[in-house]
Amino acid sequence: GHFDELKSWRNYPVCPECALALDEGKRVLQEKLTFQFYGLRYILIPKVMVGDTLPQVAVKLIRAEHKIGINETVGKKLTSYEDEILEIMAQENDTMTLDFLFLESQNSAERIVLLVNDVLPSRLRALFAAKDEIDQVFPGQQFHLGRIRTFFAKSDPGKRENDLDKYFWEIIDAIFGGKTVSMPFLAVNFMREIRRDFNNGQGKLFKV
């Protein structure tokens, strides 16, 4: 287009019908499939392998989102938010995958913090099964990913901004993607917070 407004369409070579479809898809994602995740937003993007068509899968997601919206007790939660949709999608067959697009608002723009591709429903089922095991070991203390955020926010409470975000998102990527996380790396960060709480008088249960 050479910065010519009348030729600007050349910079975006999509047919008018396709452009309308893209705009409608974006609207559905933003209005129906956007959820909160510890200070950020994430968009749940379905992809079909076999079986249902993409519109059918989108309808399932939207119906699940509506069901959760009118009944806050539905489902077990991996996050601490009431709009938890993952437990419902975990019941689907592995004929589809989900992409998790995490976004952060900066001024008037949005930055992609993390994109987790191709998460199968069976992977979500495995995560909920692991959560059940943890909840049985620690009854009365429901596990969710906010527990991890406790240890991966700030290396020092006096810091103005979170400086451990990078590590938190690496762990989230590993959890949903089925990757390995180094136990020594986790232990160092866990012990930092445990020592801090103990020194602040919150470790009384450990005193003899």
Side-chain angles (χ1 to χ4, degrees):
H2 299 287
F3 300 102
D4 184 340
E5 185 175 355
L6 296 178
K7 299 178 182 179
S8 61
W9 60 271
R10 295 182 181 179
N11 300 324
Y12 189 55
V14 176
C15 70
E17 292 78 10
C18 295
L20 291 174
L22 289 172
D23 285 340
E24 179 63 13
K26 180 180 179 181
R27 185 191 66 79
V28 171
L29 290 174
Q30 291 179 335
E31 295 182 3
K32 301 295 185 180
L33 300 178
T34 298
F35 306 92
Q36 294 297 314
F37 191 90
Y38 306 109
L40 296 182
R41 295 185 303 114
Y42 77 89
I43 299 176
L44 205 54
I45 305 173
K47 293 191 296 187
V48 177
M49 294 187 291
V50 294
D52 293 338
T53 65
L54 185 56
Q56 289 172 325
V57 172
V59 168
K60 286 184 179 180
L61 282 165
I62 292 170
R63 286 177 176 171
E65 188 271 340
H66 175 69
K67 183 178 181 182
I68 292 170
I70 61 176
N71 184 356
E72 293 183 351
T73 64
V74 171
K76 305 171 185 177
K77 301 186 187 307
L78 278 178
T79 77
S80 60
Y81 290 92
E82 298 299 343
D83 59 2
E84 179 64 72
I85 194 174
L86 303 184
E87 195 270 342
I88 291 178
M89 298 314 301
Q91 308 310 315
E92 294 293 324
N93 297 321
D94 283 350
T95 57
M96 59 174 288
T97 63
L98 297 169
D99 287 354
F100 292 75
L101 180 63
F102 295 92
L103 301 169
E104 180 182 44
S105 297
Q106 290 184 339
N107 299 323
S108 59
E110 288 186 324
R111 180 174 68 91
I112 296 177
V113 175
L114 175 66
L115 174 60
V116 183
N117 288 307
D118 300 328
V119 179
L120 290 166
S122 59
R123 177 61 186 169
L124 296 179
R125 290 196 293 274
L127 294 179
F128 279 106
K131 169 185 160 54
D132 288 341
E133 292 183 11
I134 296 172
D135 290 344
Q136 291 175 15
V137 175
F138 301 98
Q141 301 184 44
Q142 292 291 313
F143 175 81
H144 52 73
L145 296 178
R147 306 289 188 192
I148 298 175
R149 186 58 164 164
T150 301
F151 300 96
F152 292 91
K154 295 181 180 180
S155 59
D156 189 301
K159 290 183 177 293
R160 184 174 181 180
E161 298 181 353
N162 295 339
D163 60 333
L164 299 179
D165 284 347
K166 175 178 180 292
Y167 300 126
F168 177 68
W169 294 114
E170 286 179 356
I171 293 172
I172 296 301
D173 184 31
I175 289 173
F176 284 107
K179 303 173 185 177
T180 301
V181 181
S182 167
M183 180 54 68
F185 165 72
L186 292 175
V188 168
N189 288 276
F190 289 165
M191 288 307 301
R192 181 189 62 250
E193 296 300 321
I194 292 172
R195 291 192 190 98
R196 182 180 299 151
D197 285 349
F198 187 87
N199 291 334
N200 290 337
Q202 300 180 36
K204 296 179 181 179
L205 292 176
F206 298 96
K207 292 183 179 181
V208 178

